[in-house]
Amino acid sequence: MASTKISKKNNNILLSSFKKKCFVHTRFVFNGANIANGKEIAFFVELYILNPAISPKRPVLFSEVQGSSTLLPSYCAVRCGVLGKGGKELIKYNSLSEFIYDKKTGSIQIGSFSLTNEVLIGAVSTPDGTMDWNLQYERQVPEAPSYSSSKYKWNSDGVKTVVGGTIHYNGEEYQAVPNVSYGYSDFSSGLEQIDPWYHISASNLVSTINSKKLANSCFVVQKIEANKYLIFVKLEGKIYSVKTGNFIHKKCVECTCTESNDEQNMKRLHWSVSIHRGKVYIDIDVYCHESSMFLRTFDHPDGAALSNVLCGGTGVGEIRVYRKRLRTKTLELMESVRVSNAICEYGSDKKL
């Protein structure tokens, strides 16, 4: 029921956005294994809507508006592809006239793309490749936080999303298996994208203390404003949730993304998150090689900027949870978790 309620709320925001200049972004990221050779790939499927009411009868692409004082980009785009080394994105642009919304069921359809509270179906074919998918999904963390302001909204209801079904990518068949698909989904909308772009999340977590797989665990760190982050960590029932920027949490969180070299002198990005709340200290470190990421762009509603984002789906790292002993002032390690298959994103705007 929680998933259905959250989905309807997102759809209501989406529909209200049709009346103004803005973007709407809903996405799914999940792993699938090649049927023939077992190779795993991180796939993504997204709906990216930009200023749909401005040009409801035909999609107006970002390239069209450059040099124009009257045009703005306007389209409903289905975006899909793979994250990781050799990553690729396929895009099908549609107009608002092709958008169908069923108020009873909350389902959305644009051409071959269909999204309900439980099913994700679609296909995209371009000169760069083809991909189709028939998937079932379930969001499993109803207590995940959300954020809303007059300029930006973000919902992390799918921080742990179980995904199952079949994907065909460039003539090869892949299977998403629910327990090992490590799915993620979220929803955002607003007047402009966040700059700089900062996101890490994962649900493939294993305790390094007892080697136990943490099946009821996940985390996400998302930038929500210029100097604000929303952080949610769930470790087998224990929840740590922090939204920075207010007086209480003003100095208790530090988030950075830096470039470094590994032991083999290969370039990688390092996402570092440090949280200090009372007696609890949490450190999150996630790494992803630059060779395993690729650059994606997201158009801004004003037609004057692009978000250039390095994206990866194979991040690795660790979460460490400490408790401060009041008597000795020392930190006691409570949990140490190995992170795999992390979604890693970092980027900045390019003004045009």
Side-chain angles (χ1 to χ4, degrees):
M1 288 299 293
S3 176
T4 301
K5 288 179 181 178
I6 292 169
S7 297
K8 286 183 177 179
K9 179 183 176 182
N10 290 346
N11 288 348
N12 289 336
I13 294 173
L14 187 155
L15 293 175
S16 67
S17 300
F18 284 169
K19 302 174 184 177
K20 56 188 177 182
K21 184 173 71 175
C22 70
F23 77 90
V24 178
H25 186 197
T26 183
R27 64 167 172 173
F28 294 79
V29 184
F30 52 91
N31 274 26
N34 190 300
I35 295 295
N37 58 30
K39 181 182 178 182
E40 284 195 353
I41 290 181
F43 292 95
F44 66 90
V45 175
E46 302 175 344
L47 185 60
Y48 192 72
I49 300 176
L50 199 67
N51 302 331
I54 292 176
S55 181
K57 293 185 179 180
R58 74 174 184 92
V60 177
L61 305 189
F62 197 82
S63 56
E64 273 188 76
V65 309
Q66 300 310 299
S68 171
S69 59
T70 57
L71 277 178
L72 285 175
S74 175
Y75 55 75
C76 302
V78 178
R79 306 169 65 142
C80 63
V82 298
L83 299 174
K85 194 170 185 178
K88 182 173 286 189
E89 178 179 56
L90 310 174
I91 306 177
K92 173 68 169 65
Y93 293 99
N94 306 271
S95 67
L96 179 60
S97 62
E98 299 172 75
F99 187 94
I100 301 171
Y101 175 67
D102 189 320
K103 288 185 178 180
K104 269 191 174 181
T105 63
S107 64
I108 294 171
Q109 187 165 345
I110 303 176
S112 62
F113 177 88
S114 178
L115 174 63
T116 74
N117 294 320
E118 299 174 341
V119 175
L120 180 65
I121 298 172
V124 172
S125 180
T126 75
D128 292 326
T130 61
M131 178 171 158
D132 65 75
W133 56 93
N134 190 329
L135 304 165
Q136 300 78 45
Y137 72 92
E138 180 185 357
R139 298 182 176 102
Q140 296 195 323
V141 185
E143 64 269 63
S146 61
Y147 173 78
S148 180
S149 71
S150 59
K151 292 185 177 181
Y152 185 76
K153 294 176 173 59
W154 179 72
N155 193 327
S156 64
D157 60 302
V159 60
K160 183 176 174 63
T161 300
V162 172
V163 179
T166 304
I167 310 101
H168 295 99
Y169 176 66
N170 286 343
E172 295 188 274
E173 184 173 336
Y174 294 79
Q175 192 74 26
V177 179
N179 290 336
V180 292
S181 60
Y182 308 117
Y184 172 88
S185 63
D186 65 10
F187 174 93
S188 61
S189 67
L191 303 179
E192 59 185 23
Q193 290 284 5
I194 300 300
D195 180 40
W197 188 302
Y198 188 107
H199 174 97
I200 49 174
S201 60
S203 59
N204 185 2
L205 308 179
V206 175
S207 172
T208 58
I209 294 176
N210 57 22
S211 300
K212 178 183 177 183
K213 186 168 184 176
L214 305 180
N216 189 33
S217 302
C218 56
F219 83 93
V220 62
V221 181
Q222 171 82 14
K223 191 159 194 171
I224 51 176
E225 281 189 28
N227 296 304
K228 290 185 180 180
Y229 296 83
L230 200 156
I231 301 161
F232 178 82
V233 180
K234 182 176 183 180
L235 299 176
E236 298 302 284
K238 292 182 179 179
I239 292 177
Y240 310 92
S241 184
V242 179
K243 181 175 72 176
T244 68
N246 58 35
F247 179 77
I248 297 174
H249 299 147
K250 190 174 183 180
K251 296 182 179 180
C252 73
V253 174
E254 183 179 359
C255 300
T256 62
C257 183
T258 56
E259 187 180 76
S260 63
N261 291 343
D262 67 4
E263 296 80 3
Q264 285 75 43
N265 207 32
M266 295 177 63
K267 287 186 178 181
R268 63 182 181 179
L269 291 185
H270 173 202
W271 288 258
S272 175
V273 180
S274 296
I275 306 166
H276 169 208
R277 288 189 64 190
K279 299 177 183 178
V280 177
Y281 288 71
I282 302 174
D283 289 330
I284 303 173
D285 291 286
V286 171
Y287 301 86
C288 193
H289 284 103
E290 290 187 13
S291 61
S292 297
M293 308 179 76
F294 80 109
L295 188 67
R296 301 181 64 202
T297 60
F298 294 87
D299 307 338
H300 279 239
D302 61 7
L306 290 169
S307 288
N308 294 303
V309 185
L310 270 175
C311 302
T314 57
V316 297
E318 190 175 8
I319 302 172
R320 296 171 302 282
V321 181
Y322 302 91
R323 182 176 62 186
K324 187 175 183 179
R325 291 186 173 275
L326 295 180
R327 183 174 295 178
T328 62
K329 306 298 183 181
T330 58
L331 295 179
E332 177 188 6
L333 182 65
M334 304 299 295
E335 183 62 272
S336 177
V337 177
R338 186 173 69 250
V339 176
S340 302
N341 300 106
I343 301 168
C344 310
E345 297 175 331
Y346 187 79
S348 60
D349 283 357
K350 178 184 179 183
K351 305 298 180 182
L352 302 175

